[in-house]
């Protein structure tokens, strides 16, 4: 592939797509003057190998390789699984025949969505496709590390303790207020009494510490108590005792309990006391420790003797002794390997974080779990009690029936936030007053026992009649939410008159008998009518966190005012209720026993608001709890995609204005009867779909509102809940029938006839649908005196004038009835644009001849749909858009407009912080459907093409920027579509080159070319967008390795990287390495790099043979690739590309170097902890793949080691033989000179150069070093590097960089096989071999243990320098007279490059 060189002097203005010969788009930049030339400033890009061809040609070699797992992708790497939809309910919430009964396309798709299981594309090794922190291992930290104590730490601790804990005898170390527990034998642990005392922590002349307490700061008075800390063995926190409390544990199992006033003071006291305890402990064990050290010295001496014996055996010529020596040495080698930890376990990045509990972030859609609480209704009693009916021997009860409805009201937002929960707490004897013992009123349905008991969702109807427990949920809890209880009774008359016996009760017995007699007559005649009586309220939450006010109680019962019945009136009364001094409400004595508690975790026998049983549910259970529906605020942040079927309509009659009507003579005690009908003909009847109230049928045909006595303009607060049918048509409507109810009772003790109880005084109705949508806004309806057939045709004034229907209107058809409704449905939408879009799609599917441009119009209108509707029906809308994308019409603009709507939805979800729903949709809900049209393209083909078309639109930069920013969504959709296509069409078994047509390859290539300029040129203009598309593209290409031709993906990566230049700004360099890091995190990264031997061309093999045949006495692998050559980069494309870019980055500024080194180190850490490649041979093969990295370090050795640690080979002639160099290391004596003791001043080599050793831990320092040695050579030893010729202009690497690079170097050297290492040593020059050894000594220097104090301080200094982190010291402050000394020591250590080191260096060196 050629390289792309863009003229960056001009801004990107147009991106034109010119058609290629294959019919697909090829990028050209008109204003950018694109040049297809080799740019000298760009990195030399090596063409990758044809991966699939190489695999096919070397099939025999790969299958015969014992490490073929490193060369082959595993079988069945990808699959599709169907996951059962997780439900809270015992059975599906969708009715069995719902899909057959549905006729609307939108309803059908909703039902299908809620019924379909999840379809997930599984990548078998996906857990290995992320960063090393995401690997599926328990922990990256070593489990057991021996705790070593070093002399330097002891010295520092003594210095610090003596300075921070006041080494001057008699000094006060710390003082302050504490609370001390008064402990004696009569007071239990939980009853300790704390007294405030002022404490002084002082050191006595003998070195011990004492803690004295005084009544105040003046310690001249007598001490109130003292604690000798030499008997203290531990100090621990005890928050259960008291806030900020801690316990001093003494030797005699006695404890002192103290408590600070703030958490900071407690921490400071704990640190000080723990240091004192440590000092006391150290002094006690000092004698034992000296004894142990003496024993260790003896053991060391014996080990030295054994080593001397081994050395003599090696020099011996006796065969048996030599055999014994070799066997012993082998056993010792194996024993040294026991218990070794992973090298990277001690890396600071690995030790800092532990991701053992990570779980996948993407979860299926689920119902939002809001703050829930349970309401248990126990009892309702007033002060008028007596014996009712046959209950002569039982306890007294209310003498008439009362009915309760509970609901939540939000004063802050001035609204009702829950449905009504109706409860009947009347005892059986009182219930019989309503309709006797055997029958119910005719209006409530069939007579009791006249037919077999019906079953609703597997639950007997009788078990649902008297539910006393409800679960409320609140999305936005706060203290101004109240639970309101409304009390109703049977219609009797005026509220004041009915409440008087309960308020003025001078003779309880006589009053109870009188009330009972009246109630018995009223119930038998007017039992189905209710009247308001009283109300009470109580707060629910203590705070905005949802803490329940469990101790709250209901207010007194307030008499209901007939002129203040509406919900708005209740909200006003609740506001006044919060101010008792302004409350002038009349109280009715009584008691309501309702408790509020948290919902138990193991709650069973609960049902939804639709009466569907929840798990777990016992059969024939009678103690059932029901969920009360919440009216979630219409705010986007509270919305979530629907997952269950729910279809409820709540109807609220608000007010009837009948004061000016002249049609009816009597219309005062007005009752409103509501029915739901599907026909306006004379033979039409009500549907049994209204939720009934307790004691009646669960579903009934009608519902009555409360009756206001002698009120011609009554207000209502009733809520009627309707279970809507699956299919709604234009005839569905709610019918209101108004009755005048006669409340007169005969004085002769007999009631009037039933036919005179109610008299019809009007009718009103409202259709549910208008333009196909359900109407829920507040309406005012006219009232008619009669109800002729076809009355639905008289809804508006125009139809009334033109209609021939004989109808008589009340008060001239003025709007007399005010109503409102509320829809809680997951299958019907009220959004006009969504409704019209789906309606048009349904017409097209049914064969309707489409008008050109009509679909595009509806697609554009979707940009105006409500965000709440978009989120709630997200899977339904997205799936329909994808169908339109591939199926609906051959118009060219339809796919682009459809993609623009998708882009709008995706951007809105991100803006609202709800992008997690998009990820859940892709993973679980999205299932690509095969297009119905024969020539239609698949989703991945069409979507990729439309993305190119959008990116080329020079005018609509807003759409381009959105597409770039949220490109991850479209790439993920393309990936799942590709995977589904391969698996469902059985294309996965084809060779990778045949899985997708060549045309699709061209589309992906064109898409890549369309993205490049937006990243490499517009990065400063759109930083977020360019970074996002860079990462999204990398993730897409990484997934393409699993699905398609891997050689083609290599070429795409090659083309993308060629768009970057070594002189790019820091941002682009970061983009490049983020891209490479994402690609290299592929789960099969090792097989992609083909870690196997590639035979060299014949001529090259002959040259190599003559070059090294004379020098090499051992067998040499001539195919070993150890340099960053073109052949290496071609054969091992990804690792070669990464190493080349790292080589360039090392010559750049700190930020770029840091990024590049982190990518390499994190990748090696991932290899080291990958559970699939833990065998030593596998690790050796992986390490061999990174062998050119050693050469990379050798090129930068001066920056790693510096002049003070380099060994100069400048004086050695290039013609010096390997034997001349090696002879200096062959004899045991000379080998031992590399580790000479402290008294050795010089170490001599046979080539005449001397190395000065400053101390036992110092570096090899050459005499007369002048500079960096020349490494120029010819042939194979010449490194193919793109680094700049001179490195003198660059500063030495940062300590973090050096240590990271050396960690990678140690991993390679440790893991690579001995044969490969020997072969490598025989290939490199003597100069390089010396530098390899010097690198090892540099490792000893940089990883030496410098003490805990220096580690922490140097680490903090590094963080502060590079990240601006100003962390407080965790140690006690030093004394002033020692601060200068300590600072000087730190500066001296820093000059020696004593960087922060690992906490367990002894264990670290054991791993090497």
């Amino acid at each position: 592939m050629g390289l792309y060189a863009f003229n960056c002097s001009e801004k990107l203005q147009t991106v034109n797509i010119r058609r290629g010969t294959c019919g697909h788009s090829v990028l050209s930049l008109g204003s950018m003057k694109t040049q297809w030339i080799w740019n000298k400033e760009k990195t030399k890009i090596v063409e990758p190998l044809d991966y699939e061809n190489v695999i096919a040609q070397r099939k025999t070699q790969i299958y015969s390789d014992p490490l073929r797992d490193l060369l082959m992708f595993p079988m069945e790497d990808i699959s599709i699984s169907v996951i059962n939809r997780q439900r809270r309910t015992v059975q599906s919430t969708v009715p069995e025949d719902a899909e057959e009964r549905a006729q609307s396309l939108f309803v059908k798709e909703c039902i299908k969505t809620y019924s379909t299981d999840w379809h997930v594309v599984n990548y078998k090794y996906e857990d290995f496709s992320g960063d090393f922190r995401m690997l599926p291992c328990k922990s990256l930290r070593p489990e057991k590390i021996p705790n070593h104590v070093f002399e330097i730490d002891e010295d520092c601790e003594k210095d610090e303790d003596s300075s921070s804990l006041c080494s001057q005898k008699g000094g006060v170390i710390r003082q302050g207020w504490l609370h001390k527990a008064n402990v004696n034998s009569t007071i239990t642990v939980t009853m300790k009494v704390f007294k405030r005392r002022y404490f002084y922590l002082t050191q006595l002349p003998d070195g011990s510490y004492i803690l004295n307490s005084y009544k105040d700061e003046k310690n001249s008075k007598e001490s109130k108590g003292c604690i000798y800390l030499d008997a203290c063995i531990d100090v621990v926190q005890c928050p259960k005792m008291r806030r900020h409390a801690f316990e001093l544990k003494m030797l005699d199992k006695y404890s002192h309990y103290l408590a600070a006033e703030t958490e900071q003071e407690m921490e400071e006291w704990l640190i000080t006391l723990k240091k004192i305890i440590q000092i006391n402990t150290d002094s006690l064990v000092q004698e034992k420790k000296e004894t142990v050290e003496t024993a260790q010295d003896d053991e060391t001496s014996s080990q030295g003797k054994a080593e001397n014996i081994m050395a003599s055996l090696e020099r011996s010529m006796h065969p048996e002794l030599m055999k014994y020596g070799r066997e012993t040495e082998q056993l010792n080698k194996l024993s040294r390997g026991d218990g070794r930890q992973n090298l990277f376990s001690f890396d600071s990045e690995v030790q800092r974080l532990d991701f053992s509990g990570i779980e996948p972030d993407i979860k299926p859609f689920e119902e939002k779990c809001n703050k829930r609480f349970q309401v248990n209704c126990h009892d309702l009693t007033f002060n008028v009690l007596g014996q009712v009916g046959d209950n002569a021997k039982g306890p007294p009860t209310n003498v008439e029936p009362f009915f309760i409805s509970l609901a939540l009201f939000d004063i802050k937002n001035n609204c009702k936030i829950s449905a009504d929960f109706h409860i009947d707490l009347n005892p059986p004897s009182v219930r019989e007053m309503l309709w006797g013992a055997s029958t119910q009123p005719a209006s409530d349905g069939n007579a009791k026992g006249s037919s077999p008991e019906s079953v609703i969702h597997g639950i007997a109807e009788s078990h649902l009649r008297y539910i006393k427990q409800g679960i409320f949920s609140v999305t936005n809890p706060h203290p101004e939410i109240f639970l309101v209880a409304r009390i109703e009774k049977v219609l009797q008359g005026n509220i004041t008159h009915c409440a008087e016996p309960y308020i003025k009760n001078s003779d309880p017995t006589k009053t109870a008998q009188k009330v009972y007699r009246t109630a018995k007559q009223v119930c038998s005649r007017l039992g189905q009518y209710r009247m308001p009586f009283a109300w009470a309220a109580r707060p629910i939450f203590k705070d905005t966190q949802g803490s329940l006010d469990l101790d709250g109680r209901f207010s007194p019962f307030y008499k209901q005012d007939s002129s203040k019945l509406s919900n708005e009136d209740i909200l006003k009364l609740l506001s006044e209720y919060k101010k008792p001094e302004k409350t002038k409400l009349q109280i009715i004595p009584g008691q309501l026993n309702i408790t509020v508690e948290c919902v138990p975790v193991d709650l069973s026998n609960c049902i939804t608001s639709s009466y569907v049983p929840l798990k777990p549910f016992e059969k024939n259970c009678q103690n059932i709890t029901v969920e009360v529906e919440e009216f979630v605020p219409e705010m986007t942040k509270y919305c979530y995609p629907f997952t269950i079927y729910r279809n409820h309509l709540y109807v609220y009659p608000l007010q009837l204005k009948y004061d000016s009507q002249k049609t009816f003579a009597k219309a005062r005690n007005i009752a409103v009867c509501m029915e739901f009908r599907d026909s306006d003909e004379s033979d039409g009847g009500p549907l049994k779909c209204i939720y009934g109230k307790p004691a009646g049928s669960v579903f009934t045909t009608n519902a009555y509102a409360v009756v206001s006595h002698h009120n011609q303009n009554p207000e209502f607060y009733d809520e009627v809940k309707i279970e809507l049918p699956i299919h709604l048509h234009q005839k569905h409507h709610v019918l209101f029938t108004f009755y005048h109810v006669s409340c007169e009772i005969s004085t002769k003790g007999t009631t009037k006839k039933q036919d005179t109880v109610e008299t019809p005084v009007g009718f009103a109705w409202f259709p549910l649908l208008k333009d196909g949508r359900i109407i829920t806004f507040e309406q005012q309806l006219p009232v008619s005196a009669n109800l002729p057939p076809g009355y639905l045709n008289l809804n508006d004034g125009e139809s009334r004038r033109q209609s021939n229907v004989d109808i008589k209107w009340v008060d001239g058809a003025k709007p007399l009835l005010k109503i409102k409704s509320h829809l809680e449905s997951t299958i019907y939408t009220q959004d006009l644009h969504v409704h019209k879009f789906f309606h048009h799609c349904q017409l097209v599917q049914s064969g309707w001849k489409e008008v050109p441009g009509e679909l595009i119009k509806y697609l554009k209108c979707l940009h105006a749909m409500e965000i709440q509707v978009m989120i709630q029906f997200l899977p339904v809308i997205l799936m329909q858009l994808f169908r339109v994308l591939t199926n609906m019409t051959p118009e060219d603009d339809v796919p682009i407009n459809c993609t623009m709507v998708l882009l709008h939805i995706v951007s809105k979800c991100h803006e609202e912080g709800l992008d997690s729903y998009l990820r859940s949709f892709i993973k679980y809900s999205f299932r690509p459907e095969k297009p119905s049209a024969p020539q239609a393209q698949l989703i991945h083909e069409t979507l990729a093409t439309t993305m190119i078309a959008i990116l080329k639109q020079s005018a609509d930069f807003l759409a381009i920027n959105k597409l770039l920013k949220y490109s991850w969504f479209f790439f993920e959709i393309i990936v799942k579509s590709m995977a589904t296509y391969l698996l469902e069409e059985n294309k996965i078994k084809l060779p990778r080159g045949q899985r997708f047509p060549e045309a699709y390859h061209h589309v992906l290539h064109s898409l890549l070319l369309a993205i490049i300029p937006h990243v490499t040129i517009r990065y400063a203009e759109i930083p977020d967008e360019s970074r996002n598309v860079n990462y999204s593209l990398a993730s897409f290409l990484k997934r393409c390795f699993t699905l398609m031709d891997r050689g083609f993906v290599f070429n795409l990566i090659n083309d993308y990287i060629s768009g970057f230049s070594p002189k790019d700004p820091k941002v682009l360099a970061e983009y490049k390495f983020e891209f490479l890091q994402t690609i290299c995190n592929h789960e099969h990264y090792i097989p992609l790099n083909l870690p196997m031997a590639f035979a060299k061309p014949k001529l090259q093999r002959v040259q190599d043979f003559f070059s090294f045949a004379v020098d090499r006495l051992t067998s040499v692998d001539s195919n070993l690739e150890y340099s960053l050559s073109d052949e290496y980069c071609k054969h091992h494309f990804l690792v070669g590309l990464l190493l080349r870019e790292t080589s360039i980055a090392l010559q750049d500024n700190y930020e770029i170097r840091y990024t590049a080194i982190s990518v390499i180190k994190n990748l090696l850490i991932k290899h080291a902890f990958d559970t699939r490649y833990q065998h030593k041979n596998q690790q050796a093969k992986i390490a061999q793949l990174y062998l050119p990295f050693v050469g990379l370090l050798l090129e930068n050795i001066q920056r790693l080691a510096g002049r003070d640690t380099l060994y100069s080979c400048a004086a050695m002639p290039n013609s010096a033989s390997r034997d001349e160099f090696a002879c200096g290391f062959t004899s045991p004596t000379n080998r031992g000179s590399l580790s000479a003791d402290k008294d050795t001043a010089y170490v001599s080599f046979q080539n005449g150069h001397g190395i000065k050793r400053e101390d036992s831990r110092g570096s090899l320092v050459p005499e007369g070093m002048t500079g960096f040695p020349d490494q120029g050579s010819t042939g194979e030893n010449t490194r193919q590097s793109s680094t700049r010729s001179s490195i003198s202009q660059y500063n030495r690497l940062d300590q973090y960089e050096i240590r990271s690079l050396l960690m990678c170097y140690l991993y390679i050297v440790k893991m690579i096989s001995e044969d490969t290492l020997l072969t490598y040593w025989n290939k490199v020059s003597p100069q390089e071999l010396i530098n390899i050894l010097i690198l090892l000594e540099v490792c000893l220097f940089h990883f030496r243990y410098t003490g805990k104090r220096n580690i922490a301080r140097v680490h903090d200094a590094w963080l502060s320098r590079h990240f601006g982190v100003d962390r407080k010291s965790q140690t006690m402050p030093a004394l002033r007279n020692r601060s200068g000394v300590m600072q000087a020591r730190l500066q001296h250590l820093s000059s020696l490059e004593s960087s922060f080191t690992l906490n367990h260096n002894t264990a670290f060196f054991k791993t090497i």
Side-chain angles (χ1 to χ4, degrees), residues 644-662:
I644 62 170
Y645 176 91
R646 185 171 63 246
N647 200 21
H648 297 153
L649 178 69
Y650 293 88
V651 180
Y652 303 90
L654 300 178
Q655 186 181 33
L656 178 66
K657 298 194 69 174
Y658 247 35
D659 54 346
S660 60
Q661 66 86 22
K662 306 297 183 181

Side-chain angles (χ1 to χ4, degrees), residues 1089-1141:
N1089 283 293
L1090 291 177
M1092 63 181 184
F1094 284 85
K1096 296 182 180 179
K1098 185 175 181 180
L1099 179 61
Q1100 184 67 42
R1101 291 200 301 269
V1102 172
Q1103 292 177 352
D1104 290 345
F1105 175 77
F1106 283 108
S1107 299
F1108 298 108
V1110 178
D1111 296 331
R1112 307 188 184 218
L1113 302 178
T1114 58
S1115 59
V1116 176
D1117 181 8
S1118 61
N1119 294 326
L1120 180 64
E1121 296 176 296
Y1122 66 94
S1123 65
L1124 209 54
S1125 63
D1126 290 349
E1127 288 299 316
Y1128 170 85
C1129 293
K1130 178 179 181 180
H1131 296 155
H1132 318 289
F1133 176 69
L1134 291 181
V1135 66
L1137 182 61
L1138 180 59
L1139 290 179
R1140 283 204 169 203
E1141 295 299 334

